[in-house]
């Protein structure tokens, strides 16, 4: 008996071969809008000047941003409202350019899987500043948002003999309707101290910004710009950010509500 040979068309032969790996689809980054609280610190390299900042920034549709910045440059302070623009590359890094009275402020921020900013850098020539971003709920803030226990760990600098020396502080606070009682464990240039203190938050009208004035058991006063980080309405605030205003101390901190 002869053997019957079947010749398949070329197209069918190709279809029968094992498929190779598909080319990877180009990465896409989610586009986020929202309100964010930002805190950062670093140094201006040319003059070795320490710097720290707080921002409340809104990411609007069409790549627009607007916000308020409070910044320390050594013993000096400056603040301004601003507007700007953001763009997002295929690497899921947002580039933000803010127009400020003293010039262009450009930062790069890595995004999470939902397109929200998490960590950022300003790496313009002569500047090394890193920042952390916190999602912030919409709406106004009030003194009762912080009611309860707040704890923190901070590191900063104090001016000593014309230079800047490191300090570190941990705090445990009880808040009630804008009044605070707390205990601070601190080390200033290696000199340790434990002190109780009390203080008051004064909020700006229709805002989450305000000032905090505290006095410790020795009578020394401390002054801060503060930004309450709004959480879900039923849970109050997530905590608050502060930037010290006293010229001889430069501390920026994230104080977390329990």
């Amino acid at each position: 008996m002869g053997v019957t040979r079947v010749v398949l068309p070329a197209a069918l032969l190709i279809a029968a071969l094992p498929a190779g790996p598909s080319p990877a689809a180009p990465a896409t980054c989610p586009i986020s809008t929202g309100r964010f609280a930002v805190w950062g610190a670093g140094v201006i390299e040319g003059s070795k000047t320490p710097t720290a900042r707080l921002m409340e920034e809104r990411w609007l549709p069409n790549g627009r941003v607007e916000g308020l910045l409070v910044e320390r440059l050594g013993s000096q302070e400056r603040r301004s409202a601003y507007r700007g623009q953001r763009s997002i590359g295929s690497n899921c890094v947002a580039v933000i350019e803010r127009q400020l009275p003293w010039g262009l402020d450009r930062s790069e921020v890595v995004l999470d899987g939902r397109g929200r900013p998490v960590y950022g850098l300003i790496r313009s020539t002569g500047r090394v500043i890193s920042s952390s971003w916190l999602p912030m709920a919409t709406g106004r803030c009030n003194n009762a948002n912080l009611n309860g226990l707040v704890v923190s760990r901070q590191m900063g600098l104090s001016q000593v003999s014309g230079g800047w020396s490191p300090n570190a502080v941990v705090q445990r606070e009880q808040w009630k309707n804008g009044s605070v009682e707390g205990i601070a464990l601190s080390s200033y240039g290696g000199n340790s101290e434990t002190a109780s203190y009390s203080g008051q938050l004064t909020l700006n009208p229709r805002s989450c910004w305000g000032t905090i004035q505290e006095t410790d058991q020795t009578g020394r006063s401390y002054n801060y710009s503060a930004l309450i980080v709004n959480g879900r309405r039923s849970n109050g605030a997530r905590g608050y950010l502060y930037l010290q205003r006293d010229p001889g101390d430069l501390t920026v901190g994230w104080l977390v509500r329990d």
Side-chain angles (χ1 to χ4, degrees):
M1 179 182 290
V3 177
T4 303
R5 295 186 176 183
V6 179
V7 179
L8 295 175
L12 292 179
L13 285 172
I14 293 172
L17 294 175
S22 301
T28 58
C29 300
I31 298 174
S32 178
T33 57
R35 183 186 189 191
F36 304 97
V38 189
W39 60 299
V43 67
I44 310 298
E45 270 299 307
S47 58
K48 302 295 184 183
T49 302
T51 183
R53 57 171 46 188
L54 297 184
M55 290 191 297
E56 178 189 7
E57 185 162 281
R58 290 174 172 86
W59 285 18
L60 305 171
N62 301 320
R64 294 174 295 125
V65 301
E66 63 181 26
L68 176 66
L69 177 145
V70 181
E71 186 173 53
R72 282 282 303 272
L73 297 171
S75 59
Q76 304 299 312
E77 178 187 292
R78 61 188 183 182
R79 64 179 62 211
S80 178
Y82 63 85
R83 292 182 177 176
Q85 200 72 23
R86 73 184 186 278
S87 58
I88 301 175
S90 60
N91 55 2
C92 296
V93 173
V95 176
I96 307 158
E97 294 187 334
R98 307 176 185 91
Q99 299 294 334
L100 292 161
W102 48 85
L104 181 68
D105 187 89
R106 185 180 188 274
S107 61
E108 300 163 90
V109 188
V110 293
L111 308 178
D112 68 10
R114 297 169 62 181
R116 300 176 303 182
V118 183
Y119 299 114
L121 280 179
I122 295 177
R123 50 179 183 165
S124 308
T125 302
R127 305 178 76 194
V128 182
I129 302 171
S130 64
S131 59
S132 297
W133 295 65
L134 300 164
M136 185 172 169
T138 58
R140 300 175 185 175
C141 297
N142 62 67
N143 287 340
N145 291 147
L146 289 176
N147 284 357
L149 175 64
V150 173
V151 295
S152 71
R153 177 181 67 89
Q154 301 148 52
M155 298 184 71
L157 299 165
S158 298
Q159 205 163 32
V160 179
S161 302
W164 292 92
S165 177
N167 68 54
V169 186
V170 295
Q171 293 167 283
R172 190 178 194 275
E173 301 179 336
Q174 289 287 343
W175 282 86
K176 185 175 181 180
N177 300 329
S179 295
V180 63
E181 301 280 344
I183 185 77
L185 284 64
S186 59
S187 176
Y188 288 84
N191 297 314
S192 63
E193 180 181 271
T194 301
S196 59
Y197 59 91
S198 60
Q200 185 70 38
L201 166 68
T202 303
L203 276 177
N204 299 336
R206 299 181 297 278
S207 174
C208 289
W209 287 90
T211 57
I212 297 174
Q213 185 175 46
E214 296 174 346
T215 304
D216 70 15
Q217 65 191 41
T218 69
R220 182 179 176 183
S221 63
Y222 303 83
N223 300 277
Y224 305 91
S225 294
L227 173 62
I228 293 179
V229 181
N230 246 356
R232 293 181 179 177
R233 182 168 298 179
S234 60
N235 295 330
R238 299 178 61 190
Y240 68 99
L241 297 170
Y242 75 27
L243 178 63
Q244 194 158 1
R245 305 192 68 192
D246 306 302
D249 291 303
L250 197 162
T251 303
V252 61
W254 166 226
L255 295 94
V256 183
R257 182 170 171 267
D258 188 14

